[in-house]
Tab-separated table of all heavy atoms in Angstrom:
chain	number	residue	atom	x	y	z
Z	16	ASP	N	99.200	108.017	83.957
Z	16	ASP	CA	97.829	108.381	83.607
Z	16	ASP	C	97.731	109.732	82.903
Z	16	ASP	O	96.646	110.097	82.444
Z	16	ASP	CB	96.962	108.464	84.871
Z	16	ASP	CG	96.956	107.174	85.655
Z	16	ASP	OD1	97.143	106.104	85.053
Z	16	ASP	OD2	96.769	107.243	86.881
Z	19	ILE	N	96.759	114.900	86.899
Z	19	ILE	CA	97.153	115.492	88.172
Z	19	ILE	C	96.109	115.083	89.201
Z	19	ILE	O	94.920	115.381	89.041
Z	19	ILE	CB	97.239	117.030	88.077
Z	19	ILE	CG1	98.306	117.443	87.061
Z	19	ILE	CG2	97.536	117.630	89.448
Z	19	ILE	CD1	98.352	118.936	86.788
Z	25	MET	N	89.932	119.641	102.862
Z	25	MET	CA	88.663	120.390	102.961
Z	25	MET	C	87.864	120.024	101.717
Z	25	MET	O	88.338	120.186	100.614
Z	25	MET	CB	88.903	121.897	102.988
Z	25	MET	CG	89.604	122.374	104.227
Z	25	MET	SD	89.921	124.152	104.182
Z	25	MET	CE	88.274	124.804	104.320
Z	34	VAL	N	89.885	124.620	94.147
Z	34	VAL	CA	91.024	123.732	93.877
Z	34	VAL	C	91.263	123.647	92.374
Z	34	VAL	O	92.399	123.787	91.910
Z	34	VAL	CB	90.774	122.336	94.482
Z	34	VAL	CG1	91.765	121.323	93.949
Z	34	VAL	CG2	90.827	122.395	95.999
Z	39	GLU	N	94.420	124.221	87.576
Z	39	GLU	CA	94.266	124.240	86.122
Z	39	GLU	C	95.438	124.874	85.375
Z	39	GLU	O	95.887	124.331	84.357
Z	39	GLU	CB	92.952	124.926	85.750
Z	39	GLU	CG	92.614	124.778	84.284
Z	39	GLU	CD	91.231	125.308	83.977
Z	39	GLU	OE1	90.773	126.261	84.647
Z	39	GLU	OE2	90.624	124.772	83.052
Z	47	TYR	N	103.236	121.762	78.334
Z	47	TYR	CA	103.967	122.680	77.467
Z	47	TYR	C	105.447	122.689	77.834
Z	47	TYR	O	106.315	122.605	76.963
Z	47	TYR	CB	103.376	124.093	77.570
Z	47	TYR	CG	104.164	125.113	76.792
Z	47	TYR	CD1	104.059	125.180	75.404
Z	47	TYR	CD2	105.029	125.992	77.436
Z	47	TYR	CE1	104.795	126.099	74.684
Z	47	TYR	CE2	105.770	126.910	76.724
Z	47	TYR	CZ	105.655	126.964	75.350
Z	47	TYR	OH	106.393	127.868	74.635
Z	48	PHE	N	105.741	122.789	79.122
Z	48	PHE	CA	107.125	122.789	79.589
Z	48	PHE	C	107.828	121.483	79.202
Z	48	PHE	O	108.953	121.499	78.709
Z	48	PHE	CB	107.158	122.990	81.102
Z	48	PHE	CG	108.527	122.876	81.694
Z	48	PHE	CD1	109.470	123.871	81.508
Z	48	PHE	CD2	108.879	121.759	82.439
Z	48	PHE	CE1	110.745	123.759	82.047
Z	48	PHE	CE2	110.156	121.642	82.975
Z	48	PHE	CZ	111.074	122.644	82.777
Z	54	PHE	N	111.048	116.435	76.671
Z	54	PHE	CA	110.755	115.281	77.521
Z	54	PHE	C	110.124	114.150	76.725
Z	54	PHE	O	110.491	112.998	76.882
Z	54	PHE	CB	109.819	115.705	78.662
Z	54	PHE	CG	109.454	114.589	79.595
Z	54	PHE	CD1	110.314	114.224	80.615
Z	54	PHE	CD2	108.250	113.916	79.460
Z	54	PHE	CE1	109.984	113.199	81.493
Z	54	PHE	CE2	107.916	112.885	80.328
Z	54	PHE	CZ	108.779	112.524	81.342
Z	57	THR	N	112.324	111.746	74.689
Z	57	THR	CA	113.125	110.717	75.349
Z	57	THR	C	112.281	109.732	76.150
Z	57	THR	O	112.781	108.719	76.596
Z	57	THR	CB	114.135	111.368	76.315
Z	57	THR	OG1	113.423	112.142	77.288
Z	57	THR	CG2	115.105	112.267	75.567
Z	58	LYS	N	111.001	110.028	76.347
Z	58	LYS	CA	110.123	109.158	77.137
Z	58	LYS	C	108.976	108.678	76.273
Z	58	LYS	O	108.501	109.375	75.383
Z	58	LYS	CB	109.539	109.904	78.349
Z	58	LYS	CG	110.571	110.516	79.255
Z	58	LYS	CD	111.229	109.465	80.086
Z	58	LYS	CE	112.181	110.137	81.054
Z	58	LYS	NZ	113.242	109.330	81.494
Z	64	ILE	N	98.923	110.728	73.989
Z	64	ILE	CA	98.280	112.034	74.054
Z	64	ILE	C	99.229	113.071	73.484
Z	64	ILE	O	100.415	113.078	73.804
Z	64	ILE	CB	97.891	112.367	75.507
Z	64	ILE	CG1	96.818	111.393	75.974
Z	64	ILE	CG2	97.429	113.797	75.640
Z	64	ILE	CD1	96.417	111.552	77.408
Z	65	PRO	N	98.721	113.960	72.633
Z	65	PRO	CA	99.594	115.020	72.102
Z	65	PRO	C	100.247	115.808	73.235
Z	65	PRO	O	99.635	116.070	74.265
Z	65	PRO	CB	98.630	115.902	71.297
Z	65	PRO	CG	97.489	115.000	70.954
Z	65	PRO	CD	97.371	114.030	72.097
Z	69	PRO	N	96.420	119.559	77.774
Z	69	PRO	CA	96.522	119.700	79.242
Z	69	PRO	C	96.326	118.356	79.936
Z	69	PRO	O	95.642	117.470	79.425
Z	69	PRO	CB	95.393	120.657	79.610
Z	69	PRO	CG	94.741	121.082	78.356
Z	69	PRO	CD	95.297	120.294	77.226
Z	79	PRO	N	90.086	111.907	104.513
Z	79	PRO	CA	89.722	112.471	105.813
Z	79	PRO	C	89.646	113.993	105.707
Z	79	PRO	O	90.403	114.600	104.952
Z	79	PRO	CB	90.866	112.048	106.732
Z	79	PRO	CG	91.867	111.342	105.909
Z	79	PRO	CD	91.359	111.224	104.526
Z	82	ASP	N	88.870	119.502	110.717
Z	82	ASP	CA	87.857	120.292	111.404
Z	82	ASP	C	88.478	121.499	112.089
Z	82	ASP	O	87.859	122.149	112.906
Z	82	ASP	CB	87.088	119.440	112.415
Z	82	ASP	CG	88.000	118.758	113.425
Z	82	ASP	OD1	89.231	118.915	113.324
Z	82	ASP	OD2	87.471	118.074	114.316
Z	85	ASP	N	94.511	122.384	110.551
Z	85	ASP	CA	95.615	121.427	110.422
Z	85	ASP	C	95.907	121.015	108.988
Z	85	ASP	O	96.429	119.926	108.761
Z	85	ASP	CB	95.300	120.157	111.223
Z	85	ASP	CG	95.469	120.339	112.712
Z	85	ASP	OD1	96.218	121.228	113.109
Z	85	ASP	OD2	94.842	119.580	113.463
Z	94	ALA	N	100.978	112.929	101.788
Z	94	ALA	CA	102.229	112.677	101.059
Z	94	ALA	C	102.920	111.428	101.587
Z	94	ALA	O	103.445	110.626	100.809
Z	94	ALA	CB	103.156	113.891	101.170
Z	103	ILE	N	95.098	106.029	101.348
Z	103	ILE	CA	94.803	106.960	102.440
Z	103	ILE	C	93.485	106.525	103.076
Z	103	ILE	O	92.467	106.441	102.388
Z	103	ILE	CB	94.701	108.401	101.912
Z	103	ILE	CG1	96.031	108.814	101.265
Z	103	ILE	CG2	94.327	109.360	103.032
Z	103	ILE	CD1	95.975	110.128	100.525
Z	126	LYS	N	119.993	116.192	116.652
Z	126	LYS	CA	121.117	115.613	115.920
Z	126	LYS	C	121.854	116.637	115.070
Z	126	LYS	O	123.016	116.463	114.766
Z	126	LYS	CB	120.603	114.474	115.024
Z	126	LYS	CG	120.179	113.275	115.818
Z	126	LYS	CD	119.672	112.183	114.934
Z	126	LYS	CE	119.245	110.982	115.783
Z	126	LYS	NZ	118.651	109.926	114.990
Side-chain angles (χ1 to χ4, degrees):
D16 303 332
I19 298 174
M25 293 178 69
V34 167
E39 190 173 31
Y47 175 76
F48 175 73
F54 180 82
T57 59
K58 304 285 184 205
I64 294 176
D82 56 358
D85 284 336
I103 300 171
K126 289 180 180 176

